[in-house]
Each structure stands twice: as structure tokens, then as C-alpha cells.
Amino acid sequence: MQATRILAIRHGETSWNVDTRIQGQLDIELNDTGLWQAQQLGLALSDEDIQVVYSSDLKRAHQTAQAIAQAPTRAQPVPLTPTRALRERHFGHLQGQTWAAIEAEWPEDAKLWRARDPHWSPQGGESLWVLRERIAACVSALASQHIGEHIVWVAHGGVMDVLYRLATQQDIQAPRTWHLGNAAINRLLWTPQGLSLVGWGDVSHLARAPKDESSV
């Protein structure tokens, strides 16, 4: 079977995750916990035969990816390629706001967000449909280049959510029942027929329970 094995990983924790502040495509760095989580990922994956690491070009994802690609316990570094298509959903005018502020100041936006309206987009941002189409195209473009290989994607909560839905054929509006933990290891398989789920939400390499923030 022509297949690409994929490790899909959400970036480590940031201070904005802790504050429930919407990051979107703003370029926020990992906090101390996130740096530690990234280090643990590097150690946990150092024995895996990985051909390449693709990462969102935003700092929180790229820092996490560097810890995997350049782990000191790895026999040799793995090539790391920043990839703009793996960025988080753009949340437009809501970026930088806390969820509480959005509920208070933009209640109609908050209502449409909670309802997962696929056509709603924050002013200047992306809708769920646009995000899904961007990630689906990225999946095919990257995975098809590595048939028979093992690769890593480091991205964001919204990206992980789309990957899970694509792999399980969940509707874009279906309520989320799966974790999007910071630095969790998610395993997927890609063939020309699409994605399938192998394993999800592995946090055994971390010392405490996964954080499961909104897709921020």
C-alpha cells in the first residue's frame, strides 16, 4: 500500500494559551512550560525514523519543531521546513482578545463561533471552510511527496482539529469530543484515498495532563 506515516503535533504551551487569549496568526513564543514540553517531545521521538519535519512558520510551532528535529538524543538532525500553509486559522479582529472579552464585546461573533458556523469569519479572518480547504490541500501536497516515509507536522489547535475531522470523516460542524493537547502526539496515515487515524492525544511523554484549550 502506498502510504505516508504522519506524526501531527500541536505546539507547546504559550502564555496566551494559559490566559485563553486568541493567538490566531499572531507570532507568540513558547513559555517555560512549552519549552519543556517541546524538549520532552524531542526525547520521546528521538528513536523514530523520521525523514523530515514540517512546521508552521509561527514561532510557537517552529520552536516545538526545532526541539524534535534537533533533539540531542537523536543520531543526526532531521531536516526542518517552515510551511506557511500549516498556520493557525486567522481570527481577524479577534486576535489578541481573551474569550471573556469576546463574549462581552462581540456577543454575536461569540455565538457564531460557538455554533461552528462554517461560513462565518471574524472581520479580516478565515471561516472554518477556508481553514479546512487550506489544510486539506496542504495534507495532499506534503504527504504525497513522502510515500513510504515517516514525517512530522507541527502546527496548531485549529489545524489538529481539521486533521482529526478529515481522518475520521467528521462533519465540520460536529461537536468536538477529542482533545487538542499542547505537545500531544497524534498519529495518522495518508494514502491517495485520504487520511486515516492511527492514534490520538498521546501525552505519556509529559509529566502532567494535557492542556486542552480552544483552537487558539
Side-chain angles (χ1 to χ4, degrees), residues 161-176:
D161 185 67
V162 171
L163 292 176
Y164 188 95
R165 291 173 189 275
L166 291 172
T168 59
Q169 300 182 9
Q170 296 263 356
D171 186 82
I172 197 169
Q173 289 187 275
R176 184 189 301 152

Side-chain angles (χ1 to χ4, degrees), residues 78-176:
V78 176
L80 170 57
T81 302
T83 305
R84 186 181 178 89
L86 286 173
R87 281 189 174 194
E88 178 60 286
R89 179 183 178 185
H90 198 304
F91 284 99
H93 72 292
L94 301 180
Q95 294 185 159
Q97 303 295 328
T98 63
W99 180 252
I102 294 169
E103 289 272 13
E105 297 182 39
W106 297 279
E108 185 61 26
D109 282 338
K111 178 182 177 182
L112 292 169
W113 190 346
R114 284 196 306 270
R116 297 190 59 83
D117 184 321
H119 304 295
W120 168 77
S121 60
Q123 183 179 348
E126 292 179 296
S127 69
L128 282 175
W129 275 120
V130 169
L131 174 67
R132 185 188 184 282
E133 292 306 301
R134 168 162 64 87
I135 299 306
C138 183
V139 165
S140 296
L142 295 182
S144 61
Q145 298 176 43
H146 298 282
I147 292 174
E149 297 183 338
H150 195 189
I151 65 175
V152 174
W153 294 339
V154 183
H156 307 268
V159 177
M160 296 300 116
D161 185 67
V162 171
L163 292 176
Y164 188 95
R165 291 173 189 275
L166 291 172
T168 59
Q169 300 182 9
Q170 296 263 356
D171 186 82
I172 197 169
Q173 289 187 275
R176 184 189 301 152

